[in-house]
Amino acid sequence: MTTAAKRVAVLSPVAWRTPPRQYGAWETVASNVTEGLAARGWDVTLFATSDSSTRGRLHAVVPHGYEEDRTIDPKVAEYLHISEAFEHASEFDLIHSHYDFMALCYTRLVKTPVLTTIHGFSSPKIMPVYDKYRDSYFVSISDSDRAPGLNYLGTVYNGIDLSLYPLRERPGNDLVFLGRIHPDKGVHLAIEVAQLSGLPLQIAGIVQDEGYFREQVEPHLNSRIRYIGPVDVAGKNKLFAGACALLHLNTIPERFGLVLVEANAAGVPVIAMDLGSCREVLQDGVTGFLVKNARAAAQCLRRLPEIDGAACRRRVEQFFSVEAMVKAYEHVYQKIFDLEAEKKR
Amino acid sequence: MTTAAKRVAVLSPVAWRTPPRQYGAWETVASNVTEGLAARGWDVTLFATSDSSTRGRLHAVVPHGYEEDRTIDPKVAEYLHISEAFEHASEFDLIHSHYDFMALCYTRLVKTPVLTTIHGFSSPKIMPVYDKYRDSYFVSISDSDRAPGLNYLGTVYNGIDLSLYPLRERPGNDLVFLGRIHPDKGVHLAIEVAQLSGLPLQIAGIVQDEGYFREQVEPHLNSRIRYIGPVDVAGKNKLFAGACALLHLNTIPERFGLVLVEANAAGVPVIAMDLGSCREVLQDGVTGFLVKNARAAAQCLRRLPEIDGAACRRRVEQFFSVEAMVKAYEHVYQKIFDLEAEKKR
């Protein structure tokens, strides 16, 4: 493949900087795709906030993430950012969008093909847009997170930079919850497991649902069950170092589950709800356990010694590294270039 | 001018149906432009909700106004609607947008010229978009509501359908407030005038600021000062029939003030704050009075007999009718066609 000749634009969201300082899964993946492509010799331009960083070219019109700078109107930032990328479409052979349904609405106004990685369907109300543009090019981030009728060219699992999450030396004693504080993420179920097992629980992440935090998390906090706020990569590694397991008891189907992979990379077993993509990301009994409820999760804890941390990391290296992801995307890009060449014939 | 050969698309908002059932100033103006152009022989297509009505062609992808149907996501409706219009840009010689900064972000992706009527700058945060697209074509709805540096081709006052607001036979006894219940519109000042004068006050309009209504309007309601909710055209005429004056004591600069014109058309004098466009819309001492505060407004009431209802209507016929507005827009359209023809030479 003559990658060097092809120019790719990666359209990242502008909620956060790319890569994000802490929370921001979509920006993390967009960054990993960009850096992975650059490392493999692609001519890649990242459309992201001005304070973003990349080994590729940065093209930016929004100074900061709108979640990080309240003087910025999210709608204004979004319109300025997406339209800017499409105004430069003719400079690229492919636009790889991580910007959901909004960017789709520009795709028919340019000649450059657009690939959309669907990081999740946030609401049934957005489906009319996907339906209109169903013949566009799509990638799902797990086989389970697909909408019928869309022109999927494949599933590409999210990949992480393994150097950020070194294998820890030995298992710790804490249960760890890492994610948004939101009922979807089952923080209350993690608390239930801590209460059933008597093990300490560290809860980290941004509070996305204030009412849920106040009613179902805060009342249970004590010296053993602690909420420590959002954490960066160093903070995650510190949590992994002290962890016996990551609890990921999501109450709705998971779309991918980046944190499962990060924990596994560090050698931490994951106990996850068997909903959505968790079955694809974890290998039951090898990198963690898939469960149906909090009681089953608590019962798994005695089986944790069966899990080999090094085996967890090996599976991440094989399937969920930046390199694996970028190679899979190169395969999808080539499909698009072939399809476009065919159209022109 | 060979209007028949030119194809114009009018892009209306999709917050409400076009024309709106009750509230919806932008949709009202977009409708009046469309119907006025159609009446004068233009080939005109209205982009609006599916339940809209027009003598021109209707092109619609959003079933109902998102303010009227809570199953519709405003952002989704907006993206689907605006992009649809621009995807059809090549079918038109001109797109006349009433869709604020959002539509501007599509203008560089099509060859068709776009004229934007700026119905108001809702926040300083949207100015970066206007700044980027400052060389686009703009019309202001009053001389006072202009941002520096934009490529204005002129001011075109909003026009109303005078047949909807017949001249009432004789003045009534009520003070009338008509508009959104919001501090910007000075409902509290209208109440102050009613209290100072002892005259009855009818308050009509949608409650946009619940807290303001609860704290500064509701406590003053009684048998003399009444809130009657939003009203349609028939409801407005009923209010005009019983009115001695319309009170429009806006606390921020008015952008145009459609209701001032509607009241004047019915022969109702308007007492308005001397802020923004009110000085352009009203002729002080002839169609109403411009004042600085509620006390001055109350003092004007004894001068109401000086105002001749027929003279009020004549001024509306001359400057604020649909015909006057459409002729002014035709003039602007021709400027654009000339400028575009020059570019191609």
Side-chain angles (χ1 to χ4, degrees), chain B residues 32-178:
Chain B
N32 286 345
V33 169
T34 307
E35 303 318 296
L37 288 169
R40 289 173 59 83
W42 287 73
D43 179 346
V44 59
T45 300
L46 174 67
F47 285 84
T49 58
S50 306
D51 56 356
S52 296
S53 65
T54 177
R55 288 172 57 181
R57 249 186 307 277
L58 178 66
H59 190 130
V61 290
V62 173
H64 308 289
Y66 58 75
E67 293 286 3
E68 302 179 80
D69 180 348
R70 293 299 171 186
T71 67
I72 297 173
D73 183 273
K75 189 170 167 179
V76 168
E78 205 158 271
Y79 269 95
L80 278 175
H81 172 67
I82 301 176
S83 61
E84 177 77 12
F86 282 88
E87 287 166 5
H88 288 268
S90 67
E91 299 163 25
F92 304 103
D93 297 294
L94 180 72
I95 295 173
H96 184 172
S97 168
H98 298 265
Y99 224 122
D100 204 359
F101 72 86
M102 295 76 95
L104 275 180
C105 293
Y106 292 83
T107 55
R108 292 193 187 161
L109 301 172
V110 300
K111 293 203 182 89
T112 307
V114 179
L115 170 67
T116 301
T117 293
I118 304 176
H119 289 277
F121 300 98
S122 57
S123 153
K125 291 181 179 177
I126 72 173
M127 297 317 291
V129 187
Y130 281 99
D131 189 48
K132 174 174 176 185
Y133 297 96
R134 60 185 174 276
D135 294 331
S136 191
Y137 298 125
F138 296 103
V139 151
S140 53
I141 57 170
S142 65
D143 290 337
S144 76
D145 196 41
R146 285 200 168 193
L150 302 190
N151 182 33
Y152 287 107
L153 299 185
T155 287
V156 177
Y157 293 126
N158 291 333
I160 64 163
D161 177 352
L162 272 109
S163 72
L164 294 179
Y165 300 98
L167 186 63
R168 48 108 182 249
E169 287 182 17
R170 67 188 69 78
N173 192 43
D174 295 346
L175 299 169
V176 169
F177 171 92
L178 243 172

Side-chain angles (χ1 to χ4, degrees), chain B residues 150-230:
Chain B
L150 302 190
N151 182 33
Y152 287 107
L153 299 185
T155 287
V156 177
Y157 293 126
N158 291 333
I160 64 163
D161 177 352
L162 272 109
S163 72
L164 294 179
Y165 300 98
L167 186 63
R168 48 108 182 249
E169 287 182 17
R170 67 188 69 78
N173 192 43
D174 295 346
L175 299 169
V176 169
F177 171 92
L178 243 172
R180 295 176 284 122
I181 311 302
H182 189 282
D184 289 353
K185 294 294 185 183
V187 195
H188 58 293
L189 299 178
I191 290 169
E192 194 182 330
V193 174
Q195 288 167 338
L196 286 168
S197 66
L199 287 177
L201 170 65
Q202 306 280 349
I203 300 168
I206 59 167
V207 175
Q208 198 175 54
D209 186 327
E210 288 280 356
Y212 174 67
F213 179 75
R214 219 165 33 239
E215 287 159 30
Q216 299 204 46
V217 178
E218 210 168 34
H220 303 292
L221 299 182
N222 53 41
S223 61
R224 215 168 44 73
I225 300 178
R226 295 176 57 217
Y227 172 63
I228 60 169

Side-chain angles (χ1 to χ4, degrees), chain A residues 29-93:
Chain A
V29 175
S31 174
N32 286 345
V33 169
T34 306
E35 303 318 295
L37 288 170
R40 288 172 61 82
W42 287 73
D43 179 346
V44 60
T45 300
L46 174 67
F47 285 83
T49 57
S50 306
D51 57 356
S52 296
S53 66
T54 177
R55 289 172 56 182
R57 248 186 309 278
L58 178 66
H59 190 129
V61 290
V62 174
H64 308 288
Y66 58 76
E67 294 285 3
E68 301 179 80
D69 180 348
R70 293 300 170 184
T71 67
I72 297 173
D73 182 274
K75 189 170 167 178
V76 168
E78 205 159 271
Y79 269 95
L80 279 174
H81 172 66
I82 301 176
S83 61
E84 178 77 11
F86 282 89
E87 286 166 5
H88 289 267
S90 66
E91 299 163 24
F92 304 103
D93 297 293

Side-chain angles (χ1 to χ4, degrees), chain A residues 210-227:
Chain A
E210 287 280 356
Y212 174 67
F213 179 76
R214 219 166 32 240
E215 287 158 30
Q216 299 203 49
V217 178
E218 211 168 34
H220 303 292
L221 299 181
N222 52 44
S223 61
R224 216 168 43 74
I225 300 179
R226 295 176 58 218
Y227 171 64

Side-chain angles (χ1 to χ4, degrees), chain A residues 210-334:
Chain A
E210 287 280 356
Y212 174 67
F213 179 76
R214 219 166 32 240
E215 287 158 30
Q216 299 203 49
V217 178
E218 211 168 34
H220 303 292
L221 299 181
N222 52 44
S223 61
R224 216 168 43 74
I225 300 179
R226 295 176 58 218
Y227 171 64
I228 60 170
V231 290
D232 57 11
V233 171
K236 286 186 198 176
N237 279 314
K238 204 172 147 198
L239 286 172
F240 293 153
C244 64
L246 181 86
L247 294 175
H248 192 81
L249 302 171
N250 46 304
T251 58
I252 62 162
E254 188 55 60
R255 295 153 181 169
F256 176 76
L258 214 45
V259 72
L260 281 63
V261 172
E262 292 168 353
N264 270 179
V268 177
V270 178
I271 301 177
M273 199 68 90
D274 190 7
L275 264 178
S277 59
C278 294
R279 176 165 287 272
E280 294 171 65
V281 173
L282 294 181
Q283 192 176 357
D284 197 22
V286 176
T287 67
F289 299 101
L290 295 164
V291 299
K292 300 282 188 203
N293 52 51
R295 185 160 294 276
Q299 283 166 354
C300 278
L301 294 172
R302 59 182 162 74
R303 294 183 57 197
L304 285 176
E306 297 172 23
I307 307 294
D308 171 18
C312 292
R313 186 173 178 88
R314 275 198 303 277
R315 194 174 139 82
V316 175
E317 285 167 345
Q318 193 178 353
F319 297 111
F320 309 114
S321 66
V322 168
E323 294 70 27
M325 172 176 69
V326 170
K327 282 181 191 168
Y329 273 122
E330 284 178 344
H331 189 69
V332 173
Y333 293 178
Q334 192 53 52

